Amino acid sequence: MIGTDGTDGMDGTDGTDAADGTDGTAGRDHAPVGFIGLGAMGEPMAKNLLAAGTPLVVWNRTAARCAALVAAGAEVAADAEALFARCGVVFLMLTDGAAIDAVLARGTPAFAARVRGRTIVHTGTTSPRYSQDLAAALAAAGAAYVEAPVSGSRKPAEAGQLVALLAGEPVAVAAVRPLFAPLCRQAVACGAVPNALLMKLAVNLYLITMVTGLVEATHFAARHGLDLAQLVGVLDAGPMASDVSRVKGAKLVAADFAAHATIGNVLENNRLIAEAARAAGIASPLLDVCHALYGETQALGHGGADMIAVVRAIESRTAGYGAT
């Protein structure tokens, strides 16, 4: 998923409410909650569930990542099958559809038995079409499904300040919604699957184009000999300031390319957005320009750097102008 050290801002609308209406202990007196996928986002989310008193069983393909959760009080399942056997609600924070299908045993005879009677909560970012297909497969197998991508990155995840976008059958959404209280500052009910993922892709489209514009502005300023810290100060003092601009502006001034969201991650999100746009016959001209720039940045060897490294592609284009 794409994120920054500040959560992506969204105004409250009908169907939106603060995610602090409960104590986040749903499931405490019942079966433990399962959590699969303990990477940059999954680990802090799982820790916050534990801190709220939610009994938690975890599993991760890389077993070493379970250690911090064990120290915080989680139990570790021997494998994904064992986790599903114990848990009624299972959170998935996984990179793509293939990883999700693998832990669900989708496409194998074990799938129906593994998921039947469970509620699967998909918190990552995949294509809307994949999510629709998954929802149908789970329903046919007797499982409930909540599409729940989260907006924000690791630091908001650590602080319990993510924004959750929820879609699915109303009964299923209502049943798991209390679990998001310790994870999020706000939860937004988006209706039916795949509306939550479509909303997430719309948010990410804005994020990608906004950060790319900020990067180009700093490049423009730098090439004119302006003080970048002063530029960022002006932006921070004005009406365009946001958590995102403050964090990314500071990184640009410091030339800090340590990744919050990598170039490769941005390219994958760009692909998902473009795919959804094309499927609906929607033009995406700004996104298309960004896709080219982030692709050039990756080709220059910066795929693991923060998304502000797109400045390297812009610098390369500037150098090309000078050579003509």
Side-chain angles (χ1 to χ4, degrees):
M1 79 165 281
I2 286 183
T4 70
D5 280 347
T7 55
D8 304 317
M10 286 184 287
D11 293 333
T13 62
D14 291 342
T16 303
D17 60 69
D20 57 1
T22 73
D23 63 3
T25 57
R28 176 180 290 175
D29 299 322
H30 306 287
V33 170
F35 204 110
I36 297 177
L38 303 174
M41 294 294 291
E43 180 190 14
M45 290 169 67
K47 283 182 175 178
N48 284 335
L49 283 170
L50 283 168
T54 306
L56 204 65
V57 179
V58 301
W59 183 79
N60 196 79
R61 184 174 58 182
T62 304
R65 290 185 175 172
C66 296
L69 275 300
V70 172
E75 297 182 60
V76 180
D79 51 29
E81 181 181 9
L83 183 145
F84 277 91
R86 295 191 56 195
C87 301
V89 175
V90 179
F91 278 72
L92 305 178
M93 176 51 89
L94 297 167
T95 55
D96 55 29
I100 293 170
D101 290 346
V103 300
L104 297 178
R106 189 176 173 203
T108 77
F111 172 67
R114 183 167 298 187
V115 302
R116 185 178 297 116
R118 277 76 178 173
T119 298
I120 310 304
V121 183
H122 168 28
T123 63
T125 304
T126 58
S127 76
R129 176 60 61 85
Y130 170 82
S131 187
Q132 280 184 304
D133 291 346
L134 178 60
L138 289 167
Y145 176 64
V146 176
E147 182 183 86
V150 293
S151 186
S153 67
R154 186 175 177 92
K155 286 192 175 180
E158 291 171 342
Q161 292 293 300
L162 297 168
V163 175
L165 309 172
L166 308 177
E169 293 296 325
V171 171
V173 170
V176 303
R177 191 168 195 149
L179 291 167
F180 284 90
L183 310 181
C184 303
R185 63 182 174 90
Q186 197 169 60
V188 183
C190 298
V193 174
N195 282 359
L197 274 166
L198 287 170
M199 184 70 76
K200 177 65 187 296
L201 294 182
V203 169
N204 282 355
L205 195 162
Y206 177 57
L207 175 65
I208 292 168
T209 55
M210 175 176 59
V211 172
T212 308
L214 175 63
V215 171
E216 185 171 339
T218 60
H219 176 71
F220 174 89
R223 291 306 171 107
H224 281 88
L226 300 180
D227 184 329
L228 293 188
Q230 187 176 56
L231 168 66
V232 170
V234 171
L235 292 172
D236 287 349
M240 294 176 291
S242 68
D243 289 343
V244 172
S245 68
R246 291 186 184 96
V247 169
K248 295 306 187 187
K251 287 176 73 66
L252 284 160
V253 170
D256 173 13
F257 297 101
H260 297 159
T262 68
I263 293 295
N265 182 244
V266 174
L267 271 173
E268 173 59 15
N269 275 266
N270 199 305
R271 182 189 68 78
L272 292 173
I273 299 164
E275 181 181 276
R278 300 300 175 265
I282 299 169
S284 55
L286 295 180
L287 183 76
D288 296 343
V289 170
C290 291
H291 184 268
L293 286 168
Y294 285 90
E296 291 166 24
T297 307
Q298 181 160 273
L300 289 168
H302 304 291
D306 189 79
M307 65 187 299
I308 65 163
V310 71
V311 71
R312 300 308 188 205
I314 299 172
E315 290 168 347
S316 179
R317 290 193 181 194
T318 293
Y321 283 142
T324 59

